[in-house]
Amino acid sequence: MSTTTRVQTSSSELNDPAALRLSGGQSLPPRSRRPKEGSGRRDGGVLVYLAALIVVALTLGPVLYAVLGGFRSNAQLAADPAGLPDPWVLDNYRRVITGSTFWTYAVNSLAIAVITTVVTVVAGLMAAYPLARYQFRWREPLFMVFVVGLLFPATVAIIPLFILVTRDLSMGNTWWGVALPQAAFALPMTIVILRPFLMAIPREMEEAAIMDGASRMQFFWRVLLPLSAPGAITVGVLAFVGSWNAYLLPLLLLRGDMKTLPLGVADFSSQYSSDTAGVFAFTTLAMVPALIFFLAMQKRIVNGLQGAVKG
Amino acid sequence: MTSLSVPPRDASTQPTGRAARPVGRRRDWRMAGEILLFTAPALVIFGLFVVVPIARAVQFSLYRWKGFGPLVDFVGLQNYVSVLSNEVFRGAVGHNLFIVVASILIQLPLGLAIALLLNRRIRGRGLLRTIIFVPYVLAEVIAGVVWFQLLQPGRGVVETLLGTVGLDGPYQGFLGTPELAMPTLMVVLTWKYVGLAVLLFLAGLQGVPDELTEAAQIDGASWWQIQRRVTIPLLGPTIRTWAFLSMIGSLQLFDMVWILTGGGPANATTTMATFLVNEGTKRQNYGIASAASVVLFVIALTMAVLYQRFVLRRDTSGADVLRGVR
C-alpha cells in the first residue's frame, strides 16, 4: 500500500508544475497554477470526485428539495414525496410573492440588519482604534472587557433584555429595539477581529503622517479606515448575516407586522403545517437573500478571518 | 501598501503648528478625550444591552418574580436550588454537554476531511467550497423548518427514501420518538454546522506555506503523509479556535431545538436555553428563568476558562508552529 503510493507520487512528481515552479515559475501569478495542477496531480482520482459528489448531494439535497418542493402541489408531494415537480406548479411562489406578509417581513429584516450592521461596524471600528494604536494604562483591561463579552451568550440576558427594551426603553416592537441589542452582542467579536487589522498597520506610517502634520483623527480617517476595509467588511457581513438570521430576540420583541423573515417562516410553518408546498415556497424565498449576499461576500470573509486568526 | 502614497494633504497648509504643540499634560488630556470619544459608542451600547441585562439576570435570579409589580420577594438562592433540583433542567444540562462533545467528535473529523478534500486541486473546487457553506449561511430557523418538513412522520421525504431501501421509519417519526430525537437533532446540527468548521479550516490551510508541502513532496511523502505530518499539525491553532466556538455555540443552542422539537418529546431534547425561554416567556417565572440563565453562564464561563487555560494557552505561547512541525 505504502509502496504503491510512493511510486505514484514520485512518478507524478516529474510532471508536477509545483516542483518546476521552483526553477522558473515563481514569477507567475499564483492563479495560473491551479488549472495545470488540476490535471497534473490526480492521485486519488475518481474516489476524490466521488467523495466530493457525496458531500455536495448531502449538503444541497435538503435545500434543493425545499426549492423544488415549492414548485410542486401538495397532492404531488403526498403521492410521491421523493419525486420531481410534474407538472411545475408556480402557484405557491406566486402566492408568497403577491401576498403582503412576506414583503413586510423582508423589509423589517433588511432594516434591522442594516441598522445592526452600521452600528456594529461604526462603533466597533471607533473602539478598536484606540485599543489598537494608543498607549494608555487601561488599554488591555478595556480590551479584556470586550473579550470577556465574547463569553456572554445573548440567551443568558434574554429575559432582562426583553424587560429593558419593552418597559424601560419603550422600544419593544421597533427596529431599533432589536438592532441595538444585536449590535451590542456583535461588538465583542467585531472588536476582537478589527484590532489586529489596525495593529498591523506599521507605526512608521503613523509617524510619517504625524510628521506631515496630520492629527490622530486625520490619520484615522485618511489612512486607517481605508487600510482596515477588509476587516470592516468581514465584521459587517458577519453582523448582517447574524442579524438577518436571528430568531430568539425578535421572537420575544416583535409582533404582528414588525416580524422578521425567520419569525415569518416559523409562523407560516406552524400555521399551515399541512401546506408543505406553501411552506417550502415561503422558506425558499426567505433563504434566497442571505444566500446571495453571503456567497457574494464569501471570499472577503475567508480573507478577513484569516487575517484575524493569524494573530 | 499602495496607500503609502496617501499622506494627509494638509501638511502644507499647517506647516509647523502641530509639531510645535507643547508635549505634556495638555496632550495627555487631549489623548484621554480622544480615547473616550472613540470608545464611548461601543461602551455605551455594550454596557446598556449586554452588561446591564446580565447584571439584572443575576439580580432577578434572587427574587420570586412574575414580571409585574416591584421586585420585593427576595428568596436568596432558592431559585437556584429549584433549578438545580429540577429533573428537566438537569436533563437539559446533560443534553447540552452531550451536544458539546458529540459536535466536536463528529464535526472535527468530518470537517477536516472535507477541508482537506476541498484544499486539493480538483476541478470545480471554488464551486464546491461555496456549496459547503450553504447550510451554514441559512438561518437556523429556516434550516430547521426545512428539516422539520423532511422529517415529517409518514409523509416526509426522509422516511420515503428509507422506504425505498426497505427500512421503515419509526411510528412517531424521528423527532417524535424520545430515543431518536437527540440523534436526529445531531444529524441536522452536523449538516448545518460542518460548513463553519470547513470554512475556518480552509482559512487555516491557506496559512500553511506551500514550501513545506512542496518540500515534503520532493522528499517523497504521499498526499496522506503530508496531511498527517505537516498540514494537520499546522492547523492546530485553527482547530482549537473552532472547537472553542463550537463549544460555546452548543451550550447556547436554542433556535434549532425550538423549531424541530420544542424540547420534546418528553423533554428528550430540552436544552438550557429552551428551558429558560420556556420558563420565562410561557410561565412568566422570571426568577427561575434568570437562575437558569446564570447557571448556563457559569457553565459556559467555567468551560471557557478551563479551555483557555489548558488548550488555547498553547496558541498564545507562540512556539506552537515549531512544535507542530517537529
Side-chain angles (χ1 to χ4, degrees):
Chain A
M1 169 66 202
S2 60
T3 41
T4 32
T5 21
R6 207 170 294 152
V7 171
Q8 266 179 1
T9 32
S10 55
S11 66
S12 69
E13 209 174 86
L14 292 171
N15 51 10
D16 188 349
L20 296 176
R21 208 164 66 92
L22 287 171
S23 52
Q26 212 125 32
S27 57
L28 286 173
R31 183 175 291 185
S32 67
R33 284 169 50 203
R34 210 187 286 164
K36 275 195 222 158
E37 292 184 14
S39 49
R41 287 196 50 183
R42 41 196 322 144
D43 46 329
V46 180
L47 272 181
V48 169
Y49 284 98
L50 193 68
L53 205 66
I54 293 172
V55 169
V56 169
L58 288 176
T59 306
L60 280 190
V63 177
L64 284 182
Y65 186 79
V67 176
L68 291 175
F71 286 109
R72 307 176 73 195
S73 67
N74 283 309
Q76 285 181 28
L77 279 164
D80 178 14
L84 285 168
D86 179 37
W88 289 64
V89 179
L90 300 179
D91 190 51
N92 301 309
Y93 285 108
R94 187 164 39 220
R95 264 186 298 144
V96 177
I97 291 176
T98 53
S100 65
T101 42
F102 178 83
W103 296 108
T104 311
Y105 297 160
V107 168
N108 291 333
S109 278
L110 185 67
I112 291 172
V114 168
I115 298 173
T116 305
T117 308
V118 171
V119 173
T120 307
V121 173
V122 171
L125 261 176
M126 286 176 69
Y129 173 49
L131 290 175
R133 306 205 61 97
Y134 280 48
Q135 300 294 335
F136 58 100
R137 201 200 306 169
W138 297 101
R139 188 172 91 156
E140 294 310 309
L142 195 57
F143 181 61
M144 278 313 288
V145 169
F146 290 108
V147 171
V148 171
L150 277 177
L151 297 175
F152 289 117
T155 322
V156 169
I158 202 71
I159 300 293
L161 205 50
F162 164 70
I163 291 169
L164 177 83
V165 171
T166 51
R167 293 191 198 164
D168 303 345
L169 302 174
S170 305
M171 292 202 303
N173 218 23
T174 64
W175 291 344
W176 285 88
V178 177
L180 286 179
Q182 281 178 352
F185 279 92
L187 271 174
M189 181 60 88
T190 304
I191 291 171
V192 167
I193 290 182
L194 283 180
R195 193 166 102 131
F197 269 90
L198 297 184
M199 275 180 144
I201 293 159
R203 183 144 286 278
E204 291 76 35
M205 213 180 266
E206 184 169 359
E207 280 160 8
I210 303 280
M211 287 286 241
D212 288 346
S215 68
R216 286 172 187 276
M217 299 282 187
Q218 286 169 326
F219 174 72
F220 177 74
W221 283 111
R222 304 261 181 103
V223 184
L224 275 189
L225 280 189
L227 285 179
S228 56
I233 290 171
T234 301
V235 294
V237 172
L238 291 178
F240 188 93
V241 174
S243 169
W244 183 274
N245 288 346
Y247 180 58
L248 179 52
L249 194 62
L251 176 71
L252 296 190
L253 290 179
L254 301 176
R255 292 179 304 279
D257 275 353
M258 293 304 293
K259 285 182 179 173
T260 56
L261 274 176
L263 294 177
V265 169
D267 277 6
F268 197 98
S269 167
S270 54
Q271 265 174 37
Y272 307 99
S273 58
S274 53
D275 179 10
T276 310
V279 172
F280 280 145
F282 197 101
T283 312
T284 299
L285 289 173
M287 59 172 109
V288 166
L291 276 183
I292 293 176
F293 179 72
F294 188 88
L295 297 180
M297 291 293 187
Q298 174 203 330
K299 196 150 266 162
R300 290 177 179 279
I301 295 180
V302 174
N303 291 344
L305 283 176
Q306 207 192 351
V309 172
K310 218 167 38 185
Chain B
M1 302 81 239
T2 47
S3 318
L4 265 173
S5 59
V6 194
R9 281 187 199 85
D10 43 0
S12 52
T13 57
Q14 13 178 267
T16 51
R18 290 182 187 248
R21 198 185 332 118
V23 184
R25 186 155 292 174
R26 242 174 69 198
R27 218 180 129 192
D28 283 354
W29 278 109
R30 192 188 157 129
M31 193 171 104
E34 284 172 14
I35 292 169
L36 208 62
L37 187 74
F38 273 103
T39 52
L43 281 177
V44 169
I45 295 171
F46 185 76
L48 186 58
F49 294 105
V50 177
V51 179
V52 168
I54 287 183
R56 284 171 85 180
V58 175
Q59 188 195 5
F60 290 169
S61 73
L62 302 174
Y63 290 83
R64 182 178 294 123
W65 194 45
K66 286 281 190 180
F68 43 83
L71 204 57
V72 284
D73 199 358
F74 184 84
V75 294
L77 296 180
Q78 199 186 306
N79 286 328
Y80 289 92
V81 173
S82 46
V83 161
L84 291 173
S85 59
N86 186 321
E87 289 281 319
V88 177
F89 185 77
R90 291 219 300 245
V93 175
H95 297 148
N96 276 113
L97 295 179
F98 173 80
I99 294 166
V100 168
V101 174
S103 293
I104 291 176
L105 289 184
I106 297 170
Q107 289 175 33
L108 177 58
L110 199 60
L112 209 50
I114 297 173
L116 292 178
L117 177 76
L118 297 187
N119 202 42
R120 294 175 71 121
R121 287 126 186 177
I122 61 176
R123 216 160 289 172
R125 182 170 71 165
L127 184 66
L128 288 173
R129 287 186 178 190
T130 305
I131 286 172
I132 193 74
F133 302 149
V134 165
Y136 177 61
V137 179
L138 296 181
E140 239 179 66
V141 173
I142 290 181
V145 166
V146 169
W147 274 99
F148 185 81
Q149 295 292 342
L150 302 183
L151 291 165
Q152 290 263 7
R155 55 196 178 90
V157 70
V158 171
E159 289 191 12
T160 311
L161 289 178
L162 282 179
T164 60
V165 292
L167 289 172
D168 276 343
Y171 178 65
Q172 287 165 305
F174 286 95
L175 295 170
T177 310
E179 302 80 49
L180 291 177
M182 183 54 90
T184 308
L185 180 66
M186 282 315 302
V187 171
V188 178
L189 286 176
T190 305
W191 175 83
K192 176 80 172 71
Y193 282 106
V194 83
L196 173 66
V198 175
L199 176 87
L200 289 172
F201 295 167
L202 279 174
L205 283 171
Q206 283 180 29
V208 175
D210 278 349
E211 292 74 25
L212 278 181
T213 50
E214 279 165 17
Q217 219 173 2
I218 290 166
D219 288 347
S222 70
W223 180 84
W224 173 238
Q225 283 174 323
I226 295 175
Q227 307 310 318
R228 209 171 75 86
R229 305 278 172 153
V230 181
T231 315
I232 295 177
L234 282 172
L235 269 186
T238 312
I239 291 173
R240 289 190 282 274
T241 307
W242 163 77
F244 184 72
L245 294 176
S246 165
M247 196 176 86
I248 298 293
S250 300
L251 288 176
Q252 300 173 34
L253 189 64
F254 174 79
D255 298 6
M256 191 68 91
V257 182
W258 198 251
I259 294 295
L260 284 183
T261 66
N267 294 313
T269 54
T270 310
T271 64
M272 289 186 273
T274 64
F275 176 89
L276 78 89
V277 171
N278 216 1
E279 287 291 325
T281 62
K282 290 199 175 152
R283 303 188 188 179
Q284 312 284 314
N285 285 333
Y286 287 154
I288 298 274
S290 298
S293 74
V294 173
V295 173
L296 161 58
F297 175 64
V298 169
I299 292 176
L301 186 69
T302 310
M303 288 182 66
V305 167
L306 289 177
Y307 194 82
Q308 191 81 33
R309 178 133 175 71
F310 292 108
V311 184
L312 282 183
R313 200 168 61 156
R314 295 180 53 189
D315 299 329
T316 48
S317 67
D320 194 65
V321 176
L322 296 172
R323 202 181 309 157
V325 178
R326 197 163 26 201

